[in-house]
Amino acid sequence: MRRAFLIIVTCSFPMLDGWCQSDPPTPATGEPYVYTKWESFTTESTHGGLINDHIFYLEADGDSLWIGTEGGLVLYADGTWESWTEEDGLPWNVVMGIAKDPKTGDLWLALFGEGIARFSGGHFQHFTQMNSGLLNDVSYGIDVQGDYVWVASTAGISRYNQVTGEWAVFNEKHAPMEEVWTYNVSAHEDKVYFAVWGGGILEWDVATETWTDYVDPDREMEIDLYRDDGLIHVITTSASYVDNVLWAATYFGLSRYDGRDWRGYMDHDSGLPSNFINFALGRSGTSCYSATDKGLGVLADFTTDTWVTYARDSEDAATWTAHVIVEGQEVKTVPTDLDLPNHFVLSVVILGDDVWIGTGHGLARGIGKGYYEGLR
Amino acid sequence: MKGCAVVFAVTAVASLCTLGTTVHAQVDTVKSDTASYGRTPWEYRPYNRFEKAYKEFFLDVLEYHGYGRHIPEPEHVETVKIGFVGPIIGSVSESLGGPEDIVLRVNQRQIRWDGYQASHLAPLGIKMLQGARLAVEQANARGGYRGRIPYQLVIRNDNGNWRSSGREVITLAYQDSVWAILGTVDGANSHIAIRAALKAEIVVMNTADTDPTFVETAIPWVFRNITDDRQMCYLLADFAFKKLRLQRVAALRAVNRYGRMSIDEFRDAATRLGNPFMVELEYQEGDTDFRPQLERIKSLDVDGVITYGNSRESALLLKQMRDMGMNQWFLGSDRMVTQEFRDIVGASHGNVAAGFPYDPTSTDPRYLRFAKEFRAKYGEDPETYAAHAYDGINMLIEAIERAGLNRALIRDELAAMKEYLGVTGPQEFDPVFSDRSPAVLAILRDGRFEFYSREEALSDKMDFGSPRTP
């Protein structure tokens, strides 16, 4: 169906700041911002500065970027690279999650199979299930809320009080968890959200210290009975909360919840390039960035169901292409200069107006010159 | 199938063992409902009478879109390593956490037995390891990887505290540098393992976990070569409600994840056929006294009892049921099709039926040869965990031989195996790479399990008696 509405934009790369100027706007709805100028980084292109190409997580830190890779921790700041591996005291090279504590400045790391670590003053402090309250050493996500460090592990949720040193654990005995396999955590001032593999989304209310669980109402793994009846599926991978809106990523699509209504998105009914979402980041209550196995899917405007997806159109494509999709119909394609060799996107973060994506082979920054929200 | 009313014991027929080892071959495709996931009959589909689902999942073949195929082969390896994760050291319960928990849950007024101070799954894991080892040894006897490099099984135990299977997969992937992994048994540990494998981008071949949801996670790195509880429950439900015409079935199952998840499709089938459970009760893993629950079930005038749990509890439950004068059909899972079960229940077992993933009385030359070689090596007959692990390792080796030393390409080769002819019979893989070959029905008769195909079990020619008459 999308191809029937295809309009090829033929403008050249130098003109690609923001939206392509030669293309007529869509009067009825306006146009979303499209990232057309990108910088790409691989181990090869950075001469080893980026120590590993397999990027699991990105964490913004002011104007700098922390990068969790399969081969160590990396800091990109002011155009320079700094990295830490096991040789530098990092307890384990596979860094699956990163959280910066705004209060202390410490960096907290989720280590894939080796617990967590606190990076403070140039030193790493290692916490494992043998020396702390961690439920399991397979840590998938970590975040900081107030004095607490929350850890999403394969055997449940652990919480560390940085002031008292006290640990609390939450699994099927202490929380409404049908399964305990926790995949990600996203902490905010008033809420903490967990993506629980097989258990949907768990919400921790900071004020009342109570749990609310969100699961697929049809309670069946092999179907989604109704599109907008609730969470699409209980196999969740991440949660993002912004403007009082919850964005939930699953391997079966994306869900949005505004506290009253749910909205589901799949690859056949929206601009989502794939239902297999590794990570999702809400930029606002009306915009969400989904890191999928087939590229980056950006819901640019919730109200008009306008998407911009970024992907390689073929295996041998030199660069990625942006597809503008409205209500499931492609209305425009825009070339970009993003040249990463693979569009298996694992992570995404916003830094100012720029968007950064981490893939299975390389890192890229979309330069957001003239960025605007929604449509224009 | 496979002969009607054949006995459980496998007879070695050495003269038939002249064919080659397990091969990837064309097999006759069993007629299937390809329009539905998991070969789910229309009458058992969720909400079938009320609404067509907005989206049906698992109908398209899972694909991997990552970068892994571009990773070059290593220039030199001394051995081609295959990981094994399984419960091979008796230590703790997978489902409940620790040995102290288990001891507390054993009813004290019964004679205590110490089986669960060791892992109840270790006997199954050890069988799995035996089958895996035999397959690797035979591959090496043929010359190893492409006739020049030996295969090596790197073995890891998964039943340590706090869900260690994920950590073991990570160790195998990042430190042991294996090319693929086989494992494990416990449903929770299997889920944990495949989540880790997904991130590490390495194949996991499961040969023992029959939890239907195991593959319902959209992970393109996961393969399963054993018929699951979805298939076994459908057959058991057809047998219970269509053949035996039971109407008042009660469930008494283990409270662990195995009991909770594996009975699911039977419960749903019962409901969708208009015969919802009269009651669903639970017991703790390690319990030895089921009379309080059975008293309640007895008061409900049921015509069948179904259980999902381990062999020992299932047997004790049945024995107490018969002692209480309850002669209803007793239905259960493949885990109770064991010698242990038969030893405990003795001669007064009455009517007993269970789903089973393959025909262990097969006279297929491949199976007979495998059984003979297994006996020669281990001095005992193979069983389901050994046989499926043997097939699983052979599938991995076949994929490695074709793909070379690249994890993503090994995945691709396995994904391309829509059918496989192993010692456990023809296997047919669905879009999520799970074996959908038909389950068989195990009927206990005169102290021995007999195995029936669906057609045989549901045939009008077969008379299994009235619902309550042993």
Side-chain angles (χ1 to χ4, degrees):
Chain A
M1 286 294 286
R2 291 179 187 173
R3 294 185 185 280
F5 294 84
L6 190 68
I7 301 170
I8 302 295
V9 178
T10 56
C11 51
S12 58
F13 280 16
M15 300 171 64
L16 293 178
D17 275 343
W19 188 241
C20 181
Q21 301 302 310
S22 65
D23 203 59
T26 306
T29 60
E31 298 167 348
Y33 185 85
V34 177
Y35 285 94
T36 55
K37 296 292 289 181
W38 291 77
E39 287 181 304
S40 299
F41 308 95
T42 63
T43 302
E44 184 179 8
S45 72
T46 60
H47 307 291
L50 179 61
I51 51 175
N52 189 286
D53 284 323
H54 200 124
I55 313 296
F56 280 126
Y57 199 82
L58 302 171
E59 173 79 352
D61 182 7
D63 294 331
S64 304
L65 183 71
W66 291 97
I67 304 158
T69 82
E70 200 169 38
L73 174 69
V74 182
L75 174 65
Y76 181 71
D78 299 325
T80 62
W81 304 89
E82 190 172 3
S83 59
W84 294 263
T85 67
E86 289 171 48
E87 293 180 356
D88 307 303
L90 180 67
W92 177 241
N93 276 345
V94 187
V95 180
M96 195 62 70
I98 305 171
K100 178 76 180 287
D101 185 341
K103 200 157 126 183
T104 65
D106 291 349
L107 201 67
W108 288 89
L109 309 173
L111 305 174
F112 190 44
E114 276 294 337
I116 66 171
R118 170 162 54 190
F119 189 36
S120 180
H123 299 282
F124 292 96
Q125 183 180 5
H126 192 193
F127 299 84
T128 71
Q129 63 187 42
M130 301 305 290
N131 70 7
S132 73
L134 272 182
L135 279 167
N136 195 277
D137 281 344
V138 180
S139 305
Y140 285 99
I142 194 164
D143 210 347
V144 178
Q145 176 268 318
D147 292 331
Y148 293 116
V149 178
W150 292 85
V151 183
S153 89
T154 203
I157 298 163
S158 293
R159 187 185 69 180
Y160 175 59
N161 186 324
Q162 297 184 69
V163 176
T164 65
E166 183 185 23
W167 286 85
V169 296
F170 303 92
N171 57 22
E172 78 279 9
K173 295 173 182 172
H174 325 95
M177 302 173 85
E178 190 158 304
E179 308 292 0
V180 298
W181 314 312
T182 316
Y183 219 53
N184 224 317
V185 53
S186 178
H188 307 272
E189 187 177 345
D190 55 339
K191 309 271 190 187
V192 185
Y193 287 94
F194 297 87
V196 184
W197 179 271
I201 297 291
L202 266 188
E203 175 189 278
W204 172 260
D205 187 282
V206 172
T208 62
E209 297 207 321
T210 55
W211 292 102
T212 301
D213 63 328
Y214 301 97
V215 295
D216 181 3
D218 62 48
R219 303 192 69 82
E220 297 288 347
M221 301 287 279
E222 68 266 44
I223 63 165
D224 188 36
L225 187 61
Y226 298 110
R227 178 176 178 179
D228 299 325
D229 61 343
L231 189 67
I232 281 180
H233 205 279
V234 292
I235 302 293
T236 51
T237 57
S238 76
S240 182
Y241 183 64
V242 57
D243 296 344
N244 297 318
V245 168
L246 170 68
W247 300 94
T250 80
Y251 283 153
F252 301 83
L254 177 71
S255 288
R256 177 187 186 273
Y257 180 56
D258 64 8
R260 174 173 175 158
D261 296 316
W262 287 86
R263 182 65 171 170
Y265 298 98
M266 297 185 202
D267 55 7
H268 74 281
D269 60 23
S270 73
L272 200 59
S274 167
N275 291 334
F276 193 92
I277 307 174
N278 292 306
F279 182 80
L281 177 71
R283 190 166 190 169
S284 70
T286 60
S287 179
C288 183
Y289 288 60
S290 296
T292 84
D293 65 339
K294 293 183 183 175
L296 179 70
V298 178
L299 175 56
D301 184 62
F302 166 75
T303 308
T304 58
D305 194 16
T306 299
W307 292 71
V308 183
T309 70
Y310 303 81
R312 292 161 57 89
D313 282 351
S314 66
E315 274 294 309
D316 55 355
T319 55
W320 298 30
T321 300
H323 299 259
V324 180
I325 297 162
V326 179
E327 295 183 329
Q329 306 297 323
E330 183 168 272
V331 297
K332 210 170 274 189
T333 63
V334 184
T336 80
D337 61 358
L338 176 55
D339 60 358
L340 285 182
N342 183 267
H343 60 198
F344 193 101
V345 186
L346 287 160
S347 53
V348 58
V349 73
I350 304 296
L351 209 67
D353 285 339
D354 296 346
V355 59
W356 288 79
I357 59 170
T359 76
H361 194 80
L363 173 72
R365 172 169 64 184
I367 299 170
K369 182 180 179 184
Y371 172 80
Y372 56 87
E373 291 184 14
L375 307 180
R376 186 176 291 176
Chain B
M1 75 191 242
K2 310 181 182 179
C4 179
V6 285
V7 295
F8 180 68
V10 176
T11 304
V13 185
S15 61
L16 293 178
C17 298
T18 55
L19 296 180
T21 55
T22 304
V23 292
H24 181 210
Q26 295 295 317
V27 295
D28 294 334
T29 302
V30 178
K31 290 179 181 177
S32 63
D33 184 355
T34 55
S36 68
Y37 164 66
R39 287 189 164 162
T40 305
W42 182 86
E43 60 197 342
Y44 293 157
R45 293 191 199 181
Y47 306 98
N48 65 68
R49 298 182 185 180
F50 310 104
E51 189 73 88
K52 178 175 171 51
Y54 173 71
K55 175 70 176 179
E56 294 182 52
F57 300 115
F58 313 128
L59 299 180
D60 300 321
V61 176
L62 295 179
E63 296 179 25
Y64 163 66
H65 297 284
Y67 186 77
R69 297 178 187 88
H70 301 282
I71 299 172
E73 282 200 33
E75 292 183 1
H76 175 73
V77 293
E78 293 185 353
T79 60
V80 174
K81 296 176 181 176
I82 298 173
F84 175 96
V85 181
I88 54 173
I89 299 173
S91 58
V92 297
S93 162
E94 297 309 311
S95 303
L96 295 175
E100 67 281 0
D101 290 340
I102 297 299
V103 172
L104 288 172
R105 288 189 176 104
V106 174
N107 295 326
Q108 299 303 312
R109 61 195 170 96
Q110 292 291 318
I111 296 172
R112 263 190 59 190
W113 59 287
D114 62 1
Y116 286 164
Q117 292 188 35
S119 167
H120 65 283
L121 293 178
L124 314 184
I126 289 168
K127 292 294 178 191
M128 199 167 80
L129 180 58
Q130 288 177 331
R133 274 186 163 142
L134 179 61
V136 169
E137 286 178 13
Q138 291 179 349
N140 285 336
R142 297 193 296 271
Y145 172 66
R146 295 185 175 174
R148 53 190 172 87
I149 303 174
Y151 287 100
Q152 178 188 353
L153 202 61
V154 181
I155 301 162
R156 296 271 173 193
N157 180 50
D158 81 351
N159 57 341
N161 278 330
W162 299 326
R163 310 296 189 199
S164 61
S165 62
R167 182 67 182 87
E168 299 299 353
V169 165
I170 291 165
T171 301
L172 287 166
Y174 288 109
Q175 294 181 315
D176 297 328
S177 299
V178 303
W179 295 102
I181 296 169
L182 184 138
T184 181
V185 181
D186 173 75
N189 273 355
S190 296
H191 269 285
I192 288 169
I194 62 176
R195 281 183 57 207
L198 168 65
K199 289 294 187 186
E201 299 194 346
I202 189 167
V203 160
V204 169
M205 168 65 73
N206 187 286
T207 63
D209 176 15
T210 53
D211 172 4
T213 68
F214 172 70
V215 294
E216 294 167 0
T217 49
I219 299 177
W221 295 89
V222 174
F223 299 83
R224 175 165 65 186
N225 78 340
I226 186 168
T227 297
D228 73 352
D229 282 310
R230 180 181 287 275
Q231 308 302 313
M232 288 190 270
C233 281
Y234 292 158
L235 175 56
L236 209 53
D238 283 348
F239 181 71
F241 301 113
K242 296 177 181 176
K243 177 68 178 177
L244 301 177
R245 301 191 180 283
L246 304 184
Q247 293 182 319
R248 300 173 65 84
V249 172
L252 176 52
R253 62 167 177 81
V255 74
N256 61 20
R257 192 172 193 285
Y258 175 70
R260 173 166 59 93
M261 300 306 295
S262 295
I263 203 172
D264 211 34
E265 296 302 328
F266 185 91
R267 182 199 303 111
D268 287 349
T271 302
R272 287 162 193 162
L273 289 177
N275 302 306
F277 286 164
M278 300 300 295
V279 69
E280 183 171 350
L281 302 177
E282 299 167 344
Y283 62 80
Q284 298 286 352
E285 202 169 65
D287 277 0
T288 52
D289 182 4
F290 305 91
R291 282 173 291 195
Q293 297 99 315
L294 288 173
E295 288 287 359
R296 185 174 170 198
I297 290 173
K298 189 176 182 180
S299 72
L300 293 172
D301 192 29
V302 302
D303 53 18
V305 174
I306 184 168
T307 191
Y308 257 79
N310 292 321
S311 173
R312 185 179 181 88
E313 287 96 329
S314 299
L316 291 172
L317 196 166
L318 173 61
K319 190 168 177 55
Q320 288 169 26
M321 198 175 135
R322 298 304 185 225
D323 289 345
M324 293 168 65
M326 298 174 67
N327 293 325
Q328 294 91 341
W329 267 91
F330 186 70
L331 311 172
S333 75
D334 59 316
R335 282 197 183 179
M336 71 184 201
V337 184
T338 65
Q339 182 66 45
E340 178 188 43
F341 181 88
R342 292 189 291 150
D343 290 345
I344 292 173
V345 299
S348 303
H349 51 71
N351 284 327
V352 177
F356 207 67
Y358 80 116
D359 178 14
T361 61
S362 168
T363 55
D364 184 292
R366 291 177 187 81
Y367 186 73
L368 295 177
R369 176 174 173 169
F370 160 70
K372 178 187 174 189
E373 292 169 342
F374 191 92
R375 275 192 296 271
K377 181 171 175 59
Y378 299 111
E380 56 188 276
D381 287 332
E383 42 65 84
T384 179
Y385 294 95
H388 284 91
Y390 180 83
D391 278 346
I393 287 287
N394 278 322
M395 289 181 70
L396 291 178
I397 287 175
E398 188 171 318
I400 293 170
E401 290 287 339
R402 291 182 181 178
L405 300 182
N406 177 290
R407 290 173 178 172
L409 295 177
I410 292 167
R411 188 220 76 93
D412 291 348
E413 289 295 339
L414 285 166
M417 290 187 195
K418 304 301 182 194
E419 297 166 342
Y420 188 84
L421 187 55
V423 299
T424 56
Q427 299 170 13
E428 303 166 65
F429 294 91
D430 70 0
V432 293
F433 315 130
S434 191
D435 178 21
R436 294 297 175 198
S437 57
V440 301
L441 192 71
I443 302 282
L444 189 59
R445 275 189 171 169
D446 300 327
R448 291 176 177 274
F449 278 107
E450 299 174 352
F451 295 87
Y452 298 86
S453 69
R454 163 182 294 276
E455 291 71 26
E456 290 165 351
L458 302 182
S459 166
D460 290 338
K461 298 174 184 174
M462 296 298 297
D463 182 9
F464 295 99
S466 61
R468 295 182 194 230
T469 305

